[in-house]
């Protein structure tokens, strides 16, 4: 199986949400691939309930009340209508995760994030490069991004996160030759639980190398480092959450947009790693 299909299948089975976890979480109850669906009877399923103290703290402005009945917003998801458990809690649209409660996520149901996927082509070696951060919490390579604040547009969240994590100014993006929201939906994140999960909107911006070579970037906030990363199968495989799959989707968009100037061999190479 090629890398695209491998990552797609792992995403559909939300492998990271079932087999990896935030450092504060208890062990996840083992959920075999054939038991993921809420529609499949799994009478032995007994996940631990975990809610981080900060999420339960009444003074945490970004967290919902403990009692879901006290929420005064509609639970929404890019993945469709949210099913509820017998006790009225939102159920993860990708199925069981092995942990109940909200974990470290503030919101019941979907917790909305935005990621900025910024690419360029190096004129020297004609390689496609993507701007990545090193996450402070896991040390993994990731796309820059973060949780949306209330009433923010997705561009506002993206710009704020790029400024906080990389000292990026939104005028840096004004030279983009291609910009598009390439995906909106479930993120296979280690913090996901049965009742709270992350959904992200990803904005792809392709910039000429001239524009990126003038930028002065500096890692900050949740990012302890950054780099312009070459797109190789090894890098793509090791991205945080489902960011590797997102990057392969972005490459497809770029190859079809004609905005990216690549030589034939690089074009063929990128086609080969992003095909289904
Ligand atoms: C990922 O978590 C999303 O794709 C986004 O990159 C990130 C949001 O969480 P924080 O970076 O704010 O922790 O699932």
């Amino acid at each position: 199986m090629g890398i695209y299909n491998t990552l797609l299948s792992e995403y559909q089975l939300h492998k990271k949400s079932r087999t990896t976890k935030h450092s504060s979480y208890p062990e996840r109850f083992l959920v075999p691939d054939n038991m993921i669906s809420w529609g499949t009877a799994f009478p032995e399923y007994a996940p631990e309930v975990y809610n981080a103290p900060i999420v339960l703290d009444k003074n945490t402005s970004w967290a919902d009340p403990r009692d879901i009945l006290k929420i005064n917003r509609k639970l929404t998801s890019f993945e469709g209508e949210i099913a509820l458990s017998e006790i009225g809690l939102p159920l993860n649209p990708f199925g069981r995760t092995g942990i109940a409660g909200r974990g470290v996520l503030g919101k019941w149901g979907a917790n909305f994030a935005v990621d900025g996927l910024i690419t360029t082509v190096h004129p020297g070696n004609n390689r496609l490069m993507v701007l990545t951060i090193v996450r402070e919490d896991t040390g993994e390579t990731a796309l820059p991004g973060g949780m949306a604040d209330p009433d923010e547009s997705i561009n506002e969240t993206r710009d704020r996160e790029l400024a906080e994590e990389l000292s990026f100014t939104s005028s840096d993006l004004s030279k983009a030759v291609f910009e598009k929201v390439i995906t909106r939906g479930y993120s296979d994140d280690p913090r996901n639980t049965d009742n709270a999960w992350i959904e992200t909107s990803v904005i792809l911006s392709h910039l000429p190398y001239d524009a990126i070579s003038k930028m002065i970037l500096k890692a900050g906030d949740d990012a302890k480092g950054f780099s312009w990363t070459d797109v190789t199968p090894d890098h793509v495989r090791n991205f945080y959450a489902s960011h590797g799959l997102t990057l392969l989707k972005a490459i497809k968009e770029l190859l079809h947009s004609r905005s990216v100037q690549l030589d034939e061999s690089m074009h063929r190479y990128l086609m080969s790693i992003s095909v289904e």
Side-chain angles (χ1 to χ4, degrees):
M1 211 194 288
I3 180 155
Y4 183 88
N5 281 325
T6 304
L7 293 183
L8 180 64
S9 144
E10 289 176 1
Y11 171 73
Q12 287 165 339
L13 297 169
H14 70 159
K15 203 168 163 198
K16 291 189 179 170
S17 305
R18 290 185 295 130
T19 61
T20 64
K21 64 182 186 72
H22 185 267
S23 55
S24 68
Y25 285 14
E27 287 307 314
R28 289 183 185 273
F29 194 96
L30 182 71
V31 180
D33 289 358
N34 60 345
M35 291 295 174
I36 297 173
S37 167
W38 295 109
T40 305
F42 190 5
E44 318 82 85
Y45 185 58
E48 233 178 273
V49 178
Y50 179 70
N51 294 289
I54 190 156
V55 167
L56 297 179
D57 187 332
K58 281 203 288 290
N59 299 317
T60 302
S61 58
W62 45 266
D64 279 340
R66 280 176 195 223
D67 180 354
I68 195 158
L69 297 175
K70 296 206 171 116
I71 298 179
N72 52 12
R73 64 185 167 84
K74 191 175 168 345
L75 293 179
T76 58
S77 163
F78 290 122
E79 302 296 341
E81 193 157 332
I82 298 181
L84 299 181
S85 70
E86 283 168 4
I87 56 166
L89 298 181
L91 289 175
N92 186 311
F94 274 47
R96 298 181 174 102
T97 66
I99 293 188
R102 277 178 288 166
V104 293
L105 299 175
K107 307 274 189 278
W108 289 106
N111 288 253
F112 294 104
V114 179
D115 293 307
L117 201 165
I118 298 164
T119 55
T120 192
V121 175
H122 193 288
N125 54 19
N126 205 39
R127 281 180 178 277
L128 182 70
M129 300 188 300
V130 58
L131 183 56
T132 59
I133 59 156
V134 180
R135 287 183 65 96
E136 180 81 63
D137 55 356
T138 67
E140 288 167 283
T141 300
L143 300 175
M147 298 299 186
D149 283 345
D151 302 325
E152 251 180 353
S153 70
I154 63 168
N155 281 62
E156 284 167 347
T157 308
R158 188 266 317 259
D159 293 352
R160 179 178 52 71
E161 288 291 337
L162 287 174
E164 288 170 8
E165 294 183 346
L166 291 162
S167 298
F168 204 101
T169 56
S170 46
S171 60
D172 287 334
L173 288 173
S174 61
K175 301 225 166 60
V177 292
F178 180 79
E179 186 155 274
K180 185 176 175 186
V181 178
I182 54 162
T183 165
R184 305 194 84 172
Y186 191 73
S187 175
D188 186 16
D189 190 287
R191 293 166 288 184
N192 290 346
T193 70
D194 286 357
N195 311 118
W197 58 91
I198 297 178
E199 296 193 14
T200 191
S201 300
V202 182
I203 310 174
L204 163 64
S205 312
H206 186 74
L207 293 171
Y209 189 76
D210 266 14
I212 74 116
S213 59
K214 295 193 186 87
M215 290 176 189
I216 301 170
L217 302 181
K218 192 166 146 279
D221 197 40
D222 302 345
K224 65 175 180 185
F226 76 91
S227 67
W228 287 95
T229 303
D230 278 344
V231 178
T232 65
D234 269 355
H235 287 152
V236 171
R237 213 171 270 124
N238 290 314
F239 269 97
Y240 180 76
S242 20
H243 292 178
L245 179 64
T246 305
L247 178 55
L248 294 183
K249 288 182 180 163
I251 291 172
K252 279 191 189 183
E253 292 280 352
L254 291 172
L255 293 177
H256 289 116
S257 77
R258 294 169 204 267
S259 306
V260 201
Q261 305 299 318
L262 292 163
D263 68 18
E264 224 183 290
S265 69
M266 185 51 57
H267 189 95
R268 262 202 313 274
Y269 171 71
L270 292 174
M271 281 291 262
S272 72
I273 62 171
S274 63
V275 285
E276 282 147 60

